Amino acid sequence: AQKITQTQPGMFVQEKEAVTLDCTYDTSDPSYGLFWYKQPSSGEMIFLIYQGSYDQQNATEGRYSLNFQKARKSANLVISASQLGDSAMYFCARANTGGFKTIFGAGTRLFVKA
Amino acid sequence: DVKVTQSSRYLVKRTGEKVFLECVQDMDHENMFWYRQDPGLGLRLIYFSYDVKMKEKGDIPEGYSVSREKKERFSLILESASTNQTSMYLCASSLIGRDSGSPLHFGNGTRLTVT
């Protein structure tokens, strides 16, 4: 089965520093979408950012940016100026065309230190 | 704002019982999904549906079935619950994206314990 790989089960970052969460994926679809979601300890899933496979520019949303390297099949999330509230699980996900099938990686737990 | 509602937050069932998990969304989304979330494994797709009465298997459909009789409602059925189905179950919905760009909207989850 096609899968999403997040190689960092847990990461620590100092408050106000930037952090990169890694994500690689495999796919045979010519068109697909890549997403990052945040899951705080409350359990809700929060959509952060989206990158389309044909987008030329890397996506940005406030302090979040997605470092998309299509040839390497990687879609790393960069969080700038980390805040204590960024402590959470982060999931990378890939959807095929139409969003019909969205699969997730195992997640990275981020700890932000004061 | 899209609301995805799962009928139960916590559920305890006995081995062998038939279990229904219900999910309703209020934004006319075409796609609906059922995932289970286990520590270290992330979210694994059980089934998804892109239209009424349509369903597709995800990566771990064994032991589960689904029903989508109305666009807003997507039910997950455990035909005969087993202890290895103890998990957090998440329902989600999304629009059919022109270019797969529609994010998922999640319910709050149902924590199912099978004893």
Side-chain angles (χ1 to χ4, degrees):
Chain A
Q2 299 183 341
K3 63 181 202 172
I4 310 294
T5 302
Q6 294 181 251
T7 56
Q8 306 150 313
M11 286 195 71
F12 287 86
V13 65
Q14 197 67 40
E15 195 179 10
K16 300 180 185 175
E17 292 185 351
V19 63
T20 298
L21 307 184
D22 294 340
C23 173
T24 58
Y25 58 92
D26 56 33
T27 182
S28 54
D29 296 324
S31 173
Y32 51 91
L34 298 158
F35 300 82
W36 278 90
Y37 292 84
K38 173 184 178 181
Q39 188 180 44
S41 56
S42 59
E44 62 186 307
M45 291 286 285
I46 302 166
F47 163 67
L48 295 178
I49 195 166
Y50 161 78
Q51 177 85 42
S53 59
Y54 287 113
D55 292 343
Q56 298 295 316
Q57 305 258 20
N58 284 342
T60 60
E61 287 286 349
R63 293 186 300 111
Y64 305 108
S65 60
L66 200 153
N67 184 359
F68 179 47
Q69 298 186 46
K70 191 171 183 178
R72 298 178 62 182
K73 294 188 177 174
S74 77
N76 298 339
L77 177 71
V78 181
I79 305 174
S80 63
S82 297
Q83 302 172 356
L84 295 177
D86 293 335
S87 293
M89 279 290 286
Y90 289 82
F91 292 99
C92 179
R94 191 213 77 229
N96 62 4
T97 303
F100 294 127
K101 184 174 180 181
T102 301
I103 60 172
F104 285 76
T108 295
R109 184 168 293 280
L110 178 66
F111 300 91
V112 180
K113 300 183 289 184
Chain B
D1 231 11
V2 176
K3 188 158 186 180
V4 179
T5 303
Q6 294 183 230
S7 53
S8 303
R9 188 78 174 104
Y10 298 95
L11 214 49
V12 180
K13 297 292 181 181
R14 292 192 179 272
T15 302
E17 277 192 78
K18 190 168 186 175
V19 181
F20 293 85
L21 302 183
E22 306 287 347
C23 176
V24 177
Q25 50 95 3
D26 65 1
M27 279 300 287
D28 206 34
H29 283 176
E30 295 90 354
N31 296 334
M32 295 190 76
F33 306 78
W34 275 106
Y35 293 89
R36 64 177 282 177
Q37 182 176 8
D38 300 287
L41 298 177
L43 281 71
R44 292 180 291 166
L45 181 62
I46 304 172
Y47 269 96
F48 65 101
S49 167
Y50 53 88
D51 201 352
V52 175
K53 298 191 186 295
M54 305 303 290
K55 60 186 179 185
E56 294 283 342
K57 292 180 180 179
D59 294 324
I60 53 162
E62 298 79 17
Y64 304 94
S65 62
V66 290
S67 171
R68 194 165 181 200
E69 296 295 320
K70 293 185 177 181
K71 190 174 185 180
E72 67 270 18
R73 185 179 297 269
F74 192 36
S75 302
L76 179 69
I77 303 153
L78 287 67
E79 296 291 342
S80 176
S82 64
T83 54
N84 63 13
Q85 293 177 310
T86 292
S87 186
M88 173 67 86
Y89 289 87
L90 292 170
C91 175
S93 71
S94 71
L95 291 168
I96 288 181
R98 167 177 60 83
D99 54 357
S100 66
S102 180
L104 299 184
H105 298 263
F106 284 87
N108 287 331
T110 295
R111 184 164 294 283
L112 173 67
T113 302
V114 182
T115 62

